[in-house]
Amino acid sequence: MKGKIKEGMEVIGADGVHVGTVDRVEGERIKLGKSDTYGRHEGHHHYVELGFVAGVEGNKVRLSANADIAVTLEEEPSGKPVDL
């Protein structure tokens, strides 16, 4: 699955809602572009664990969680808490 995820692919929640756009895969996480991220935490990169990927369909990465839940599961590389 990891090899199928490419830069520029759309990441969507299980509900079909846009979560972000793939910047690149780093280790076991998808790094989302900082200018295109669902929710209030814009202006910096967010990460989604590859374990939440349900599948890759065409140019879309579908997650196993709805967009609003996926955003709360994102991590930042510094380990700092994310404001909710």
Side-chain angles (χ1 to χ4, degrees):
M1 183 85 59
K2 182 177 178 178
K4 294 182 178 182
I5 300 171
K6 307 291 183 203
E7 180 181 348
M9 294 180 100
E10 181 182 14
V11 179
I12 57 174
D15 52 359
V17 175
H18 179 83
V19 173
T21 302
V22 175
D23 184 32
R24 66 177 167 257
V25 175
E26 292 184 351
E28 296 300 311
R29 301 186 301 176
I30 298 171
K31 181 177 183 180
L32 301 177
K34 63 182 176 181
S35 63
D36 180 31
T37 303
Y38 175 91
R40 297 180 289 185
H41 309 295
E42 298 176 3
H44 56 272
H45 290 284
H46 287 88
Y47 295 79
V48 176
E49 295 291 330
L50 287 175
F52 294 113
V53 175
V56 177
E57 304 165 2
N59 197 37
K60 294 184 180 187
V61 178
R62 183 173 296 277
L63 303 178
S64 59
N66 289 345
D68 58 342
I69 301 299
V71 169
T72 65
L73 300 173
E74 292 174 346
E75 295 182 15
E76 295 185 43
S78 63
K80 293 180 183 175
V82 176
D83 296 331
L84 295 178

